[in-house]
Amino acid sequence: MAKIQALMSIGAVSKRTGCKIETIRYYERAGLLKPPARSQGGHRHYSEAALKRLTFILRARQLGFSLDRVRTLLALADGEGRTCDEVHQITIRHLQDVRAKQDDLKVMEKVLDEMVSRCADGTLPECPLIEELFEVGPPA
Amino acid sequence: MAKIQALMSIGAVSKRTGCKIETIRYYERAGLLKPPARSQGGHRHYSEAALKRLTFILRARQLGFSLDRVRTLLALADGEGRTCDEVHQITIRHLQDVRAKQDDLKVMEKVLDEMVSRCADGTLPECPLIEELFEVGPPA
DNA sequence: CTTGAATCTGTAGTAACTAAAGATTGTATG
DNA sequence: CATACAATCTTTAGTTACTACAGATTCAAG
């Protein structure tokens, strides 16, 4: 009673997901994708389920989850006892990380913007930008 | 007519800059810091100028410049023909990168925030967060 | 002079891939 | 069926910016 499944080559999966072949193999090595069926010659053949799993990984990566967190997320999705609570926790924590990163970048942006405007045209022989970076004290 | 200079050990430089010893040596290997003077026994001795240079690197890194860009910046600072213009260009480009990264993070934040609020309490047996990530179409 | 802290070099590990070499397999066509 | 060529295979090394050892010296204080 096994379901009839159309299996895909790694190239086909790559095309359908936009994920490079090497990366797919890398995810397998990294334990995120289960080792797929093989042809007699050893070529990988993927099921639709495997493709879905890869999509999950790709989506999570797009959202900035580390591979390690993706691994955890997948483990939760795999295990029966998925309470949703842990997933919730991980996502919240990640959201906090994303916000913290934004704050860092905002600070960078501000300083850079000030530096650039202080040196608006780039025609001076001495460079205020460089001087600023060389200053020993804290940034203006 | 050489200037009298108080030389510092690598540990002293580390303490004054907050940069780890290994990182200082790494910057030397990476060609960002010039090989310093050595004692007879081979220990590094740094001048104030070297410390300033390290400060420059650290400051630029804090602002998110890649080591490669820092290298370029230092080369410009070193060379006589520093018009400031190139420095200006690099900084502007970097500022654009910083802004682009912020935009990416904003998108992530939005999606994550929506996901979390859709799954507010984490008490459900099935997890909307997980389901969402498994969806094959584009994210909501 | 002796100890203990500091430093030395060199290698390997981290994250998340990417690339390339060289061998093998799969498949389309004559 | 033969053959050519594309696709895939494994393994290894490169990337970025460090960090962390191990084992050998060297420095500085008492």
Side-chain angles (χ1 to χ4, degrees):
Chain A
M1 282 207 182
K3 272 186 197 164
I4 295 155
Q5 288 209 273
L7 297 178
M8 293 164 274
S9 70
I10 195 168
V13 173
S14 173
K15 244 163 230 155
R16 281 186 56 185
T17 58
C19 181
K20 293 195 178 173
I21 290 178
E22 293 88 354
T23 306
I24 298 174
R25 286 195 288 243
Y26 170 73
Y27 286 158
E28 183 184 333
R29 274 205 313 285
L32 296 167
L33 289 175
K34 300 168 189 169
R38 298 285 189 134
S39 69
Q40 321 86 303
H43 287 199
R44 290 171 178 80
H45 287 315
Y46 292 95
S47 64
E48 286 290 332
L51 187 132
K52 258 185 122 176
R53 196 179 177 86
L54 177 56
T55 308
F56 178 101
I57 297 169
L58 261 19
R59 183 84 40 95
R61 292 289 300 133
Q62 256 181 33
L63 291 174
F65 285 94
S66 70
L67 275 201
D68 211 55
R69 281 189 182 167
V70 176
R71 219 185 315 268
T72 309
L73 252 16
L74 281 169
L76 291 170
D78 285 342
E80 313 87 26
R82 71 204 228 207
T83 335
C84 176
D85 186 43
E86 289 180 88
V87 176
H88 199 250
Q89 296 299 319
I90 292 173
T91 311
I92 296 252
R93 195 163 350 128
H94 182 55
L95 185 51
Q96 284 165 357
D97 288 356
V98 167
R99 286 183 174 138
K101 234 177 244 173
Q102 277 189 74
D103 290 342
D104 285 353
L105 287 174
K106 262 177 224 155
V107 173
M108 284 185 205
E109 185 188 4
K110 190 158 170 289
V111 176
L112 288 168
D113 196 46
E114 280 169 11
M115 280 169 63
V116 167
S117 66
R118 205 165 307 155
C119 173
D121 53 1
T123 57
L124 299 164
E126 262 112 59
C127 186
L129 290 180
I130 291 277
E131 308 302 326
E132 182 133 353
L133 253 10
F134 266 115
E135 276 308 304
V136 174
Chain B
M1 282 210 180
K3 273 186 196 164
I4 296 156
Q5 288 208 273
L7 297 178
M8 292 164 276
S9 70
I10 196 169
V13 173
S14 174
K15 244 164 231 157
R16 280 187 55 184
T17 58
C19 181
K20 293 196 177 173
I21 289 178
E22 293 89 352
T23 306
I24 298 174
R25 285 194 289 243
Y26 169 73
Y27 286 157
E28 183 183 333
R29 276 205 312 286
L32 297 166
L33 289 175
K34 300 168 189 168
R38 299 284 190 133
S39 69
Q40 321 84 304
H43 285 200
R44 290 171 178 80
H45 286 314
Y46 293 95
S47 64
E48 286 291 331
L51 186 133
K52 257 184 121 176
R53 195 180 179 87
L54 178 57
T55 307
F56 178 103
I57 298 169
L58 262 16
R59 183 85 39 92
R61 293 287 301 133
Q62 255 182 31
L63 290 173
F65 285 94
S66 69
L67 275 200
D68 209 56
R69 283 191 181 164
V70 176
R71 220 186 314 269
T72 309
L73 251 16
L74 281 168
L76 291 168
D78 285 341
E80 313 85 27
R82 72 202 229 206
T83 336
C84 174
D85 186 43
E86 289 178 90
V87 176
H88 199 249
Q89 297 297 320
I90 292 172
T91 310
I92 296 251
R93 196 162 350 126
H94 181 57
L95 185 51
Q96 285 165 357
D97 289 356
V98 167
R99 286 182 173 138
K101 230 174 249 172
Q102 277 189 73
D103 290 344
D104 285 353
L105 287 175
K106 262 177 223 155
V107 174
M108 285 184 206
E109 187 188 2
K110 190 158 170 288
V111 176
L112 287 169
D113 196 47
E114 280 168 12
M115 281 170 62
V116 168
S117 66
R118 206 165 306 154
C119 174
D121 53 2
T123 56
L124 298 164
E126 261 109 61
C127 185
L129 291 178
I130 290 275
E131 308 303 327
E132 182 134 349
L133 253 10
F134 265 114
E135 276 308 304
V136 174

